[in-house]
Amino acid sequence: MKSITIKKTQSLKGEITVPGDKSISHRAIMLGSIADGDTTIRGLLKGEDNMATLKAFRQMGVRIDEHPPQADGIVAIQGKGLHALKEPEDFIDAGNSGTTIRLLTGLLAGQKFFSAVTGDQYLRKRPMKRVVEPLHQMGAKIFGREDGNKAPLAIVGSKLKGITYNSPVASAQVKSAILLAGLYADGGTTVAEPTLSRDHTERMLTYFGAEVKRSGTAVSIAGGQKLTGREIAVPGDISSAAFFMVAALIIKDSELLIKNVGINPTRTGIIDILQAMGGDLKIVHQREISGEPVGDILVKSSNLKGIEIKGEIIPRAIDELPVVAVAAAYAEGTTKIRDAKELRVKESDRIGTMATHLKELGIQVTEFDDGMDIVGGRPKPPPQGAIFNSHGDHRVAMSMIVAGLATERGITISNTDCIDTSFPGFMELLEGVKRI
Ligand code: S3P
């Protein structure tokens, strides 16, 4: 198990680009595989999560070539069309990736074959009922531990019918699983959610030629629609950029330009939050690429203040809340995070892990079921020999590295291999902008 010791740095300066968006990368592989004709993807994230999705489609007979194999190059997919995937001979292993297992479960439910999907020790603890239950309503036959709530999941491909589903959670994974099943269903399928979650699936389905209708927070798709392969450029992941935004804000004399970042409004909660905290962040050079808004983000160190974060902004910033907690620890005053119960069922219990870690830095944190209060100030150096465990959670690991960059004596984070699930090259990129 790797660990990282990070020392306090004087400032961060320079221009960077972060790797491709994880959510968009998953969807590009999935839709490219079931489209008719070729899809070429530029800037695909080659993190472990996305490679799990890529391997799954190779197991189902899709030809996917990487040019060149390792680097940031082009990934070429020979789409098989909606109905020509083949039965995988073995388990599909989603690794640590909730998006892989949940979206695939929707897509596999309507195939003409049997499949089984599992994941690592962390993923096997996460709830699957949220997708299995609506898919059952569509006629899917899905079995799993704890009455279908935990992986491994066994999926007996079946004939599906469209439904209207009111999701109790604002979850893009739930919405996307149902929409993908809806592509294979008879009739129309509608998913409504309490507040809008990231809409990359809807945008990419449209980009591939499907008709998707939106009305408020409800989205509908008619079954049987053909997708057509396309060229896609994946923008940088705002969730990865977030670590650099917070780092540059809390470390004095810093200035970073983060280029080519996806700024889809369903994902930019982090920018709104950090600006409301007093952060000097500007989006420049806005444009649209492959149906997604993109921009460069200029960020300069700032004095942050505590704010209240709740309601519709939560799904727009859900993956960034661990690093927001770090920003809050360095802000003046109290930051209150609420309506974020979903954090408890992410790669780790992110409320519990972040609260414990920030307390070790002398920060006063009060935990609530759906959030926390963080009383900001100058975090203290951790006790001698203290080691912060990531609990196998990439975003906790990177958030604590950001905290360590601004802490006297620095800190040590253990169990950091998980960073590669979403951000291979994170440490190298960070080292490149550190000015000691
Ligand atoms: C994702 C949706 C979100 C997010 C996850 C990626 C996606 O999860 O936290 O990292 O790509 O659809 P939920 O759907 O559980 O909110």
Side-chain angles (χ1 to χ4, degrees), residues 21-24 26-27 99 102-103 126 130 170-176 197-198 200-201 239 267 315 318-319 342 345-347 350 394-395:
D21 187 279
K22 181 153 75 75
S23 292
I24 297 176
H26 282 300
R27 288 153 173 84
T99 308
R102 295 201 179 107
L103 270 59
R126 297 179 63 190
R130 52 180 59 202
S171 159
Q173 292 176 357
V174 170
K175 173 174 62 179
S176 305
S197 66
R198 63 191 67 189
H200 303 302
T201 303
S239 299
R267 297 285 299 280
I318 191 73
D319 290 342
E342 276 294 300
V345 290
K346 293 292 177 189
E347 285 82 330
R350 288 181 173 163
H394 53 132
R395 300 205 198 280

PDB file of all heavy atoms in Angstrom, residues 21-24 26-27 99 102-103 126 130 170-176 197-198 200-201 239 267 315 318-319 342 345-347 350 394-395, ligand 1:
ATOM      1  N   ASP A  21     -12.432  14.142 -18.367  1.00  0.00           N
ATOM      2  CA  ASP A  21     -13.545  13.994 -17.436  1.00  0.00           C
ATOM      3  C   ASP A  21     -13.933  12.517 -17.302  1.00  0.00           C
ATOM      4  O   ASP A  21     -14.183  11.827 -18.293  1.00  0.00           O
ATOM      5  CB  ASP A  21     -14.738  14.802 -17.957  1.00  0.00           C
ATOM      6  CG  ASP A  21     -15.864  14.834 -16.969  1.00  0.00           C
ATOM      7  OD1 ASP A  21     -16.641  13.852 -16.918  1.00  0.00           O
ATOM      8  OD2 ASP A  21     -15.963  15.815 -16.224  1.00  0.00           O
ATOM      9  N   LYS A  22     -14.016  12.065 -16.057  1.00  0.00           N
ATOM     10  CA  LYS A  22     -14.292  10.642 -15.800  1.00  0.00           C
ATOM     11  C   LYS A  22     -15.708  10.259 -16.230  1.00  0.00           C
ATOM     12  O   LYS A  22     -15.901   9.251 -16.893  1.00  0.00           O
ATOM     13  CB  LYS A  22     -14.086  10.371 -14.297  1.00  0.00           C
ATOM     14  CG  LYS A  22     -14.306   8.929 -13.876  1.00  0.00           C
ATOM     15  CD  LYS A  22     -13.497   8.578 -12.655  1.00  0.00           C
ATOM     16  CE  LYS A  22     -14.073   9.156 -11.377  1.00  0.00           C
ATOM     17  NZ  LYS A  22     -15.272   8.441 -10.903  1.00  0.00           N
ATOM     18  N   SER A  23     -16.678  11.089 -15.879  1.00  0.00           N
ATOM     19  CA  SER A  23     -18.073  10.769 -16.225  1.00  0.00           C
ATOM     20  C   SER A  23     -18.256  10.727 -17.739  1.00  0.00           C
ATOM     21  O   SER A  23     -18.889   9.826 -18.285  1.00  0.00           O
ATOM     22  CB  SER A  23     -19.013  11.826 -15.647  1.00  0.00           C
ATOM     23  OG  SER A  23     -19.031  11.764 -14.254  1.00  0.00           O
ATOM     24  N   ILE A  24     -17.699  11.722 -18.425  1.00  0.00           N
ATOM     25  CA  ILE A  24     -17.854  11.779 -19.888  1.00  0.00           C
ATOM     26  C   ILE A  24     -17.105  10.615 -20.529  1.00  0.00           C
ATOM     27  O   ILE A  24     -17.581   9.998 -21.490  1.00  0.00           O
ATOM     28  CB  ILE A  24     -17.370  13.149 -20.418  1.00  0.00           C
ATOM     29  CG1 ILE A  24     -18.250  14.265 -19.842  1.00  0.00           C
ATOM     30  CG2 ILE A  24     -17.378  13.187 -21.949  1.00  0.00           C
ATOM     31  CD1 ILE A  24     -17.817  15.679 -20.226  1.00  0.00           C
ATOM     32  N   HIS A  26     -16.576   7.561 -19.329  1.00  0.00           N
ATOM     33  CA  HIS A  26     -17.370   6.319 -19.223  1.00  0.00           C
ATOM     34  C   HIS A  26     -18.438   6.280 -20.310  1.00  0.00           C
ATOM     35  O   HIS A  26     -18.643   5.268 -20.982  1.00  0.00           O
ATOM     36  CB  HIS A  26     -18.118   6.275 -17.884  1.00  0.00           C
ATOM     37  CG  HIS A  26     -17.290   5.889 -16.710  1.00  0.00           C
ATOM     38  ND1 HIS A  26     -16.636   4.678 -16.596  1.00  0.00           N
ATOM     39  CD2 HIS A  26     -17.034   6.543 -15.550  1.00  0.00           C
ATOM     40  CE1 HIS A  26     -16.022   4.611 -15.423  1.00  0.00           C
ATOM     41  NE2 HIS A  26     -16.233   5.731 -14.775  1.00  0.00           N
ATOM     42  N   ARG A  27     -19.134   7.403 -20.443  1.00  0.00           N
ATOM     43  CA  ARG A  27     -20.261   7.439 -21.368  1.00  0.00           C
ATOM     44  C   ARG A  27     -19.802   7.333 -22.817  1.00  0.00           C
ATOM     45  O   ARG A  27     -20.478   6.736 -23.663  1.00  0.00           O
ATOM     46  CB  ARG A  27     -21.075   8.716 -21.138  1.00  0.00           C
ATOM     47  CG  ARG A  27     -21.862   8.638 -19.806  1.00  0.00           C
ATOM     48  CD  ARG A  27     -22.134   9.989 -19.222  1.00  0.00           C
ATOM     49  NE  ARG A  27     -23.003   9.959 -18.057  1.00  0.00           N
ATOM     50  CZ  ARG A  27     -22.601   9.731 -16.798  1.00  0.00           C
ATOM     51  NH1 ARG A  27     -21.318   9.497 -16.534  1.00  0.00           N
ATOM     52  NH2 ARG A  27     -23.465   9.725 -15.803  1.00  0.00           N
ATOM     53  N   THR A  99     -19.883   4.219 -11.250  1.00  0.00           N
ATOM     54  CA  THR A  99     -20.483   4.568 -12.542  1.00  0.00           C
ATOM     55  C   THR A  99     -20.466   3.354 -13.467  1.00  0.00           C
ATOM     56  O   THR A  99     -21.453   3.075 -14.160  1.00  0.00           O
ATOM     57  CB  THR A  99     -19.725   5.753 -13.183  1.00  0.00           C
ATOM     58  OG1 THR A  99     -19.634   6.808 -12.224  1.00  0.00           O
ATOM     59  CG2 THR A  99     -20.432   6.260 -14.418  1.00  0.00           C
ATOM     60  N   ARG A 102     -23.157   0.709 -12.132  1.00  0.00           N
ATOM     61  CA  ARG A 102     -24.568   1.110 -12.171  1.00  0.00           C
ATOM     62  C   ARG A 102     -25.033   1.356 -13.607  1.00  0.00           C
ATOM     63  O   ARG A 102     -26.114   0.920 -13.997  1.00  0.00           O
ATOM     64  CB  ARG A 102     -24.797   2.334 -11.284  1.00  0.00           C
ATOM     65  CG  ARG A 102     -24.539   2.021  -9.795  1.00  0.00           C
ATOM     66  CD  ARG A 102     -25.236   3.013  -8.889  1.00  0.00           C
ATOM     67  NE  ARG A 102     -25.018   2.718  -7.472  1.00  0.00           N
ATOM     68  CZ  ARG A 102     -24.224   3.417  -6.660  1.00  0.00           C
ATOM     69  NH1 ARG A 102     -23.549   4.462  -7.119  1.00  0.00           N
ATOM     70  NH2 ARG A 102     -24.106   3.090  -5.389  1.00  0.00           N
ATOM     71  N   LEU A 103     -24.234   2.042 -14.404  1.00  0.00           N
ATOM     72  CA  LEU A 103     -24.662   2.284 -15.788  1.00  0.00           C
ATOM     73  C   LEU A 103     -24.709   0.976 -16.578  1.00  0.00           C
ATOM     74  O   LEU A 103     -25.633   0.729 -17.349  1.00  0.00           O
ATOM     75  CB  LEU A 103     -23.745   3.301 -16.485  1.00  0.00           C
ATOM     76  CG  LEU A 103     -24.172   4.775 -16.361  1.00  0.00           C
ATOM     77  CD1 LEU A 103     -24.255   5.230 -14.922  1.00  0.00           C
ATOM     78  CD2 LEU A 103     -23.268   5.693 -17.152  1.00  0.00           C
ATOM     79  N   ARG A 126     -21.357  -0.875  -1.587  1.00  0.00           N
ATOM     80  CA  ARG A 126     -22.190   0.283  -1.937  1.00  0.00           C
ATOM     81  C   ARG A 126     -23.581  -0.147  -2.440  1.00  0.00           C
ATOM     82  O   ARG A 126     -23.731  -1.225  -3.016  1.00  0.00           O
ATOM     83  CB  ARG A 126     -21.449   1.159  -2.964  1.00  0.00           C
ATOM     84  CG  ARG A 126     -20.168   1.725  -2.356  1.00  0.00           C
ATOM     85  CD  ARG A 126     -19.400   2.576  -3.324  1.00  0.00           C
ATOM     86  NE  ARG A 126     -20.150   3.751  -3.733  1.00  0.00           N
ATOM     87  CZ  ARG A 126     -19.782   4.550  -4.723  1.00  0.00           C
ATOM     88  NH1 ARG A 126     -18.672   4.275  -5.416  1.00  0.00           N
ATOM     89  NH2 ARG A 126     -20.487   5.607  -5.022  1.00  0.00           N
ATOM     90  N   ARG A 130     -30.813   1.164  -5.649  1.00  0.00           N
ATOM     91  CA  ARG A 130     -31.263   2.393  -6.315  1.00  0.00           C
ATOM     92  C   ARG A 130     -31.355   2.252  -7.828  1.00  0.00           C
ATOM     93  O   ARG A 130     -32.146   2.940  -8.462  1.00  0.00           O
ATOM     94  CB  ARG A 130     -30.347   3.555  -5.914  1.00  0.00           C
ATOM     95  CG  ARG A 130     -28.874   3.255  -6.115  1.00  0.00           C
ATOM     96  CD  ARG A 130     -27.972   4.393  -5.724  1.00  0.00           C
ATOM     97  NE  ARG A 130     -28.107   4.807  -4.344  1.00  0.00           N
ATOM     98  CZ  ARG A 130     -27.755   6.012  -3.887  1.00  0.00           C
ATOM     99  NH1 ARG A 130     -27.241   6.906  -4.707  1.00  0.00           N
ATOM    100  NH2 ARG A 130     -27.892   6.321  -2.636  1.00  0.00           N
ATOM    101  N   ALA A 170     -31.135  12.560  -6.295  1.00  0.00           N
ATOM    102  CA  ALA A 170     -30.600  13.217  -7.497  1.00  0.00           C
ATOM    103  C   ALA A 170     -29.293  12.514  -7.815  1.00  0.00           C
ATOM    104  O   ALA A 170     -28.256  12.835  -7.263  1.00  0.00           O
ATOM    105  CB  ALA A 170     -30.361  14.695  -7.225  1.00  0.00           C
ATOM    106  N   SER A 171     -29.377  11.504  -8.668  1.00  0.00           N
ATOM    107  CA  SER A 171     -28.196  10.699  -8.985  1.00  0.00           C
ATOM    108  C   SER A 171     -28.098  10.477 -10.479  1.00  0.00           C
ATOM    109  O   SER A 171     -28.999   9.904 -11.097  1.00  0.00           O
ATOM    110  CB  SER A 171     -28.284   9.348  -8.264  1.00  0.00           C
ATOM    111  OG  SER A 171     -27.458   8.404  -8.916  1.00  0.00           O
ATOM    112  N   ALA A 172     -26.974  10.921 -11.055  1.00  0.00           N
ATOM    113  CA  ALA A 172     -26.779  10.723 -12.494  1.00  0.00           C
ATOM    114  C   ALA A 172     -26.573   9.251 -12.825  1.00  0.00           C
ATOM    115  O   ALA A 172     -26.877   8.815 -13.931  1.00  0.00           O
ATOM    116  CB  ALA A 172     -25.581  11.537 -12.967  1.00  0.00           C
ATOM    117  N   GLN A 173     -26.072   8.507 -11.859  1.00  0.00           N
ATOM    118  CA  GLN A 173     -25.883   7.070 -12.127  1.00  0.00           C
ATOM    119  C   GLN A 173     -27.234   6.377 -12.224  1.00  0.00           C
ATOM    120  O   GLN A 173     -27.453   5.546 -13.116  1.00  0.00           O
ATOM    121  CB  GLN A 173     -25.011   6.445 -11.037  1.00  0.00           C
ATOM    122  CG  GLN A 173     -23.579   6.962 -11.099  1.00  0.00           C
ATOM    123  CD  GLN A 173     -22.694   6.455  -9.981  1.00  0.00           C
ATOM    124  OE1 GLN A 173     -23.143   5.735  -9.091  1.00  0.00           O
ATOM    125  NE2 GLN A 173     -21.430   6.828 -10.015  1.00  0.00           N
ATOM    126  N   VAL A 174     -28.163   6.733 -11.333  1.00  0.00           N
ATOM    127  CA  VAL A 174     -29.503   6.140 -11.387  1.00  0.00           C
ATOM    128  C   VAL A 174     -30.195   6.565 -12.684  1.00  0.00           C
ATOM    129  O   VAL A 174     -30.701   5.737 -13.456  1.00  0.00           O
ATOM    130  CB  VAL A 174     -30.339   6.568 -10.150  1.00  0.00           C
ATOM    131  CG1 VAL A 174     -31.794   6.174 -10.308  1.00  0.00           C
ATOM    132  CG2 VAL A 174     -29.736   5.989  -8.882  1.00  0.00           C
ATOM    133  N   LYS A 175     -30.196   7.870 -12.937  1.00  0.00           N
ATOM    134  CA  LYS A 175     -30.844   8.397 -14.148  1.00  0.00           C
ATOM    135  C   LYS A 175     -30.277   7.732 -15.402  1.00  0.00           C
ATOM    136  O   LYS A 175     -31.023   7.278 -16.279  1.00  0.00           O
ATOM    137  CB  LYS A 175     -30.608   9.914 -14.199  1.00  0.00           C
ATOM    138  CG  LYS A 175     -31.065  10.601 -15.462  1.00  0.00           C
ATOM    139  CD  LYS A 175     -30.922  12.127 -15.350  1.00  0.00           C
ATOM    140  CE  LYS A 175     -29.495  12.587 -15.161  1.00  0.00           C
ATOM    141  NZ  LYS A 175     -29.386  14.064 -15.079  1.00  0.00           N
ATOM    142  N   SER A 176     -28.954   7.615 -15.472  1.00  0.00           N
ATOM    143  CA  SER A 176     -28.314   7.092 -16.680  1.00  0.00           C
ATOM    144  C   SER A 176     -28.588   5.609 -16.852  1.00  0.00           C
ATOM    145  O   SER A 176     -28.794   5.132 -17.980  1.00  0.00           O
ATOM    146  CB  SER A 176     -26.800   7.319 -16.615  1.00  0.00           C
ATOM    147  OG  SER A 176     -26.533   8.683 -16.404  1.00  0.00           O
ATOM    148  N   SER A 197     -29.241  16.333 -11.647  1.00  0.00           N
ATOM    149  CA  SER A 197     -27.872  15.818 -11.506  1.00  0.00           C
ATOM    150  C   SER A 197     -27.154  16.005 -12.842  1.00  0.00           C
ATOM    151  O   SER A 197     -27.764  16.413 -13.830  1.00  0.00           O
ATOM    152  CB  SER A 197     -27.911  14.342 -11.120  1.00  0.00           C
ATOM    153  OG  SER A 197     -28.466  13.588 -12.181  1.00  0.00           O
ATOM    154  N   ARG A 198     -25.871  15.676 -12.877  1.00  0.00           N
ATOM    155  CA  ARG A 198     -25.088  15.893 -14.110  1.00  0.00           C
ATOM    156  C   ARG A 198     -25.797  15.287 -15.311  1.00  0.00           C
ATOM    157  O   ARG A 198     -26.359  14.190 -15.222  1.00  0.00           O
ATOM    158  CB  ARG A 198     -23.670  15.356 -13.950  1.00  0.00           C
ATOM    159  CG  ARG A 198     -23.547  13.886 -13.736  1.00  0.00           C
ATOM    160  CD  ARG A 198     -22.143  13.487 -13.313  1.00  0.00           C
ATOM    161  NE  ARG A 198     -21.840  14.020 -12.000  1.00  0.00           N
ATOM    162  CZ  ARG A 198     -20.633  13.992 -11.425  1.00  0.00           C
ATOM    163  NH1 ARG A 198     -19.617  13.452 -12.059  1.00  0.00           N
ATOM    164  NH2 ARG A 198     -20.445  14.480 -10.223  1.00  0.00           N
ATOM    165  N   HIS A 200     -24.582  14.530 -18.480  1.00  0.00           N
ATOM    166  CA  HIS A 200     -23.699  14.106 -19.576  1.00  0.00           C
ATOM    167  C   HIS A 200     -24.327  13.009 -20.438  1.00  0.00           C
ATOM    168  O   HIS A 200     -24.112  12.959 -21.640  1.00  0.00           O
ATOM    169  CB  HIS A 200     -22.369  13.588 -19.031  1.00  0.00           C
ATOM    170  CG  HIS A 200     -21.641  14.568 -18.185  1.00  0.00           C
ATOM    171  ND1 HIS A 200     -21.261  15.805 -18.635  1.00  0.00           N
ATOM    172  CD2 HIS A 200     -21.226  14.506 -16.897  1.00  0.00           C
ATOM    173  CE1 HIS A 200     -20.636  16.457 -17.663  1.00  0.00           C
ATOM    174  NE2 HIS A 200     -20.600  15.686 -16.599  1.00  0.00           N
ATOM    175  N   THR A 201     -25.110  12.119 -19.815  1.00  0.00           N
ATOM    176  CA  THR A 201     -25.720  11.038 -20.599  1.00  0.00           C
ATOM    177  C   THR A 201     -26.697  11.618 -21.612  1.00  0.00           C
ATOM    178  O   THR A 201     -26.671  11.255 -22.799  1.00  0.00           O
ATOM    179  CB  THR A 201     -26.444  10.044 -19.660  1.00  0.00           C
ATOM    180  OG1 THR A 201     -25.502   9.558 -18.718  1.00  0.00           O
ATOM    181  CG2 THR A 201     -27.036   8.877 -20.444  1.00  0.00           C
ATOM    182  N   SER A 239     -13.785  17.957 -11.607  1.00  0.00           N
ATOM    183  CA  SER A 239     -13.601  17.341 -10.282  1.00  0.00           C
ATOM    184  C   SER A 239     -12.117  17.184  -9.965  1.00  0.00           C
ATOM    185  O   SER A 239     -11.716  17.252  -8.805  1.00  0.00           O
ATOM    186  CB  SER A 239     -14.281  15.977 -10.231  1.00  0.00           C
ATOM    187  OG  SER A 239     -15.658  16.113 -10.460  1.00  0.00           O
ATOM    188  N   ARG A 267     -22.158  20.755 -13.229  1.00  0.00           N
ATOM    189  CA  ARG A 267     -20.925  20.363 -12.536  1.00  0.00           C
ATOM    190  C   ARG A 267     -20.186  21.541 -11.888  1.00  0.00           C
ATOM    191  O   ARG A 267     -19.168  21.329 -11.227  1.00  0.00           O
ATOM    192  CB  ARG A 267     -19.973  19.702 -13.562  1.00  0.00           C
ATOM    193  CG  ARG A 267     -20.480  18.414 -14.185  1.00  0.00           C
ATOM    194  CD  ARG A 267     -20.391  17.233 -13.238  1.00  0.00           C
ATOM    195  NE  ARG A 267     -19.031  16.957 -12.831  1.00  0.00           N
ATOM    196  CZ  ARG A 267     -18.140  16.292 -13.573  1.00  0.00           C
ATOM    197  NH1 ARG A 267     -18.478  15.818 -14.748  1.00  0.00           N
ATOM    198  NH2 ARG A 267     -16.906  16.076 -13.117  1.00  0.00           N
ATOM    199  N   PRO A 315     -25.935  18.483  -5.606  1.00  0.00           N
ATOM    200  CA  PRO A 315     -25.586  17.547  -6.688  1.00  0.00           C
ATOM    201  C   PRO A 315     -24.613  18.154  -7.712  1.00  0.00           C
ATOM    202  O   PRO A 315     -23.875  17.421  -8.363  1.00  0.00           O
ATOM    203  CB  PRO A 315     -26.925  17.225  -7.370  1.00  0.00           C
ATOM    204  CG  PRO A 315     -27.985  17.852  -6.569  1.00  0.00           C
ATOM    205  CD  PRO A 315     -27.390  18.739  -5.532  1.00  0.00           C
ATOM    206  N   ILE A 318     -21.176  17.537  -5.812  1.00  0.00           N
ATOM    207  CA  ILE A 318     -21.142  16.411  -4.872  1.00  0.00           C
ATOM    208  C   ILE A 318     -19.735  15.810  -4.711  1.00  0.00           C
ATOM    209  O   ILE A 318     -19.298  15.529  -3.603  1.00  0.00           O
ATOM    210  CB  ILE A 318     -22.200  15.334  -5.263  1.00  0.00           C
ATOM    211  CG1 ILE A 318     -22.365  14.301  -4.147  1.00  0.00           C
ATOM    212  CG2 ILE A 318     -21.921  14.674  -6.585  1.00  0.00           C
ATOM    213  CD1 ILE A 318     -23.098  14.795  -2.938  1.00  0.00           C
ATOM    214  N   ASP A 319     -19.019  15.644  -5.817  1.00  0.00           N
ATOM    215  CA  ASP A 319     -17.704  14.988  -5.712  1.00  0.00           C
ATOM    216  C   ASP A 319     -16.621  15.931  -5.185  1.00  0.00           C
ATOM    217  O   ASP A 319     -15.528  15.491  -4.827  1.00  0.00           O
ATOM    218  CB  ASP A 319     -17.274  14.444  -7.079  1.00  0.00           C
ATOM    219  CG  ASP A 319     -18.132  13.262  -7.504  1.00  0.00           C
ATOM    220  OD1 ASP A 319     -18.794  12.666  -6.632  1.00  0.00           O
ATOM    221  OD2 ASP A 319     -18.138  12.932  -8.701  1.00  0.00           O
ATOM    222  N   GLU A 342     -25.825  11.876   0.574  1.00  0.00           N
ATOM    223  CA  GLU A 342     -25.230  10.999  -0.449  1.00  0.00           C
ATOM    224  C   GLU A 342     -23.736  10.767  -0.213  1.00  0.00           C
ATOM    225  O   GLU A 342     -23.188   9.748  -0.611  1.00  0.00           O
ATOM    226  CB  GLU A 342     -25.437  11.617  -1.840  1.00  0.00           C
ATOM    227  CG  GLU A 342     -26.785  11.305  -2.433  1.00  0.00           C
ATOM    228  CD  GLU A 342     -26.969   9.828  -2.730  1.00  0.00           C
ATOM    229  OE1 GLU A 342     -26.196   9.283  -3.509  1.00  0.00           O
ATOM    230  OE2 GLU A 342     -27.884   9.221  -2.154  1.00  0.00           O
ATOM    231  N   VAL A 345     -22.435   7.429   1.090  1.00  0.00           N
ATOM    232  CA  VAL A 345     -22.381   6.178   0.313  1.00  0.00           C
ATOM    233  C   VAL A 345     -21.493   6.318  -0.928  1.00  0.00           C
ATOM    234  O   VAL A 345     -21.714   5.668  -1.947  1.00  0.00           O
ATOM    235  CB  VAL A 345     -23.793   5.662  -0.077  1.00  0.00           C
ATOM    236  CG1 VAL A 345     -24.530   5.169   1.149  1.00  0.00           C
ATOM    237  CG2 VAL A 345     -24.617   6.738  -0.802  1.00  0.00           C
ATOM    238  N   LYS A 346     -20.502   7.178  -0.847  1.00  0.00           N
ATOM    239  CA  LYS A 346     -19.542   7.306  -1.951  1.00  0.00           C
ATOM    240  C   LYS A 346     -18.420   6.284  -1.749  1.00  0.00           C
ATOM    241  O   LYS A 346     -18.586   5.328  -0.999  1.00  0.00           O
ATOM    242  CB  LYS A 346     -19.003   8.737  -2.002  1.00  0.00           C
ATOM    243  CG  LYS A 346     -20.061   9.766  -2.384  1.00  0.00           C
ATOM    244  CD  LYS A 346     -20.504   9.579  -3.823  1.00  0.00           C
ATOM    245  CE  LYS A 346     -21.613  10.544  -4.194  1.00  0.00           C
ATOM    246  NZ  LYS A 346     -22.179  10.224  -5.508  1.00  0.00           N
ATOM    247  N   GLU A 347     -17.267   6.489  -2.381  1.00  0.00           N
ATOM    248  CA  GLU A 347     -16.178   5.527  -2.298  1.00  0.00           C
ATOM    249  C   GLU A 347     -15.800   5.238  -0.842  1.00  0.00           C
ATOM    250  O   GLU A 347     -15.302   4.161  -0.504  1.00  0.00           O
ATOM    251  CB  GLU A 347     -14.970   6.015  -3.094  1.00  0.00           C
ATOM    252  CG  GLU A 347     -15.131   5.894  -4.616  1.00  0.00           C
ATOM    253  CD  GLU A 347     -15.911   7.031  -5.280  1.00  0.00           C
ATOM    254  OE1 GLU A 347     -16.819   7.631  -4.635  1.00  0.00           O
ATOM    255  OE2 GLU A 347     -15.631   7.319  -6.462  1.00  0.00           O
ATOM    256  N   ARG A 350     -17.771   9.918   3.117  1.00  0.00           N
ATOM    257  CA  ARG A 350     -16.925  11.119   2.997  1.00  0.00           C
ATOM    258  C   ARG A 350     -17.187  12.152   4.084  1.00  0.00           C
ATOM    259  O   ARG A 350     -16.334  13.006   4.347  1.00  0.00           O
ATOM    260  CB  ARG A 350     -17.090  11.742   1.597  1.00  0.00           C
ATOM    261  CG  ARG A 350     -16.415  10.896   0.538  1.00  0.00           C
ATOM    262  CD  ARG A 350     -16.524  11.454  -0.861  1.00  0.00           C
ATOM    263  NE  ARG A 350     -15.713  10.654  -1.770  1.00  0.00           N
ATOM    264  CZ  ARG A 350     -15.826  10.668  -3.086  1.00  0.00           C
ATOM    265  NH1 ARG A 350     -16.734  11.442  -3.658  1.00  0.00           N
ATOM    266  NH2 ARG A 350     -15.043   9.918  -3.829  1.00  0.00           N
ATOM    267  N   HIS A 394     -10.138   7.896  -3.477  1.00  0.00           N
ATOM    268  CA  HIS A 394      -9.249   8.793  -4.224  1.00  0.00           C
ATOM    269  C   HIS A 394      -9.442  10.257  -3.871  1.00  0.00           C
ATOM    270  O   HIS A 394      -8.494  11.009  -3.738  1.00  0.00           O
ATOM    271  CB  HIS A 394      -9.414   8.563  -5.734  1.00  0.00           C
ATOM    272  CG  HIS A 394     -10.827   8.647  -6.242  1.00  0.00           C
ATOM    273  ND1 HIS A 394     -11.181   9.382  -7.338  1.00  0.00           N
ATOM    274  CD2 HIS A 394     -11.991   8.099  -5.816  1.00  0.00           C
ATOM    275  CE1 HIS A 394     -12.479   9.257  -7.562  1.00  0.00           C
ATOM    276  NE2 HIS A 394     -12.995   8.482  -6.656  1.00  0.00           N
ATOM    277  N   ARG A 395     -10.719  10.664  -3.700  1.00  0.00           N
ATOM    278  CA  ARG A 395     -10.940  12.094  -3.462  1.00  0.00           C
ATOM    279  C   ARG A 395     -10.554  12.497  -2.036  1.00  0.00           C
ATOM    280  O   ARG A 395     -10.150  13.630  -1.799  1.00  0.00           O
ATOM    281  CB  ARG A 395     -12.382  12.476  -3.783  1.00  0.00           C
ATOM    282  CG  ARG A 395     -12.738  12.182  -5.243  1.00  0.00           C
ATOM    283  CD  ARG A 395     -13.846  13.033  -5.776  1.00  0.00           C
ATOM    284  NE  ARG A 395     -14.412  12.446  -6.981  1.00  0.00           N
ATOM    285  CZ  ARG A 395     -13.880  12.547  -8.200  1.00  0.00           C
ATOM    286  NH1 ARG A 395     -12.754  13.198  -8.383  1.00  0.00           N
ATOM    287  NH2 ARG A 395     -14.451  11.976  -9.240  1.00  0.00           N
TER     288      ARG A 395
HETATM  289  C1  S3P B   1     -21.376  10.072 -11.515  1.00  0.00           C
HETATM  290  C2  S3P B   1     -22.429  10.446 -10.725  1.00  0.00           C
HETATM  291  C3  S3P B   1     -22.292  10.802  -9.307  1.00  0.00           C
HETATM  292  C4  S3P B   1     -20.859  11.083  -8.939  1.00  0.00           C
HETATM  293  C5  S3P B   1     -19.925  10.050  -9.477  1.00  0.00           C
HETATM  294  C6  S3P B   1     -19.991  10.023 -10.993  1.00  0.00           C
HETATM  295  C7  S3P B   1     -21.619   9.737 -12.930  1.00  0.00           C
HETATM  296  O1  S3P B   1     -22.745   9.729  -8.513  1.00  0.00           O
HETATM  297  O2  S3P B   1     -20.725  11.176  -7.534  1.00  0.00           O
HETATM  298  O3  S3P B   1     -18.591  10.306  -9.085  1.00  0.00           O
HETATM  299  O4  S3P B   1     -20.649   9.676 -13.721  1.00  0.00           O
HETATM  300  O5  S3P B   1     -22.773   9.525 -13.289  1.00  0.00           O
HETATM  301  P1  S3P B   1     -24.299   9.531  -8.124  1.00  0.00           P
HETATM  302  O6  S3P B   1     -25.053   9.226  -9.336  1.00  0.00           O
HETATM  303  O7  S3P B   1     -24.298   8.402  -7.135  1.00  0.00           O
HETATM  304  O8  S3P B   1     -24.706  10.839  -7.492  1.00  0.00           O
END
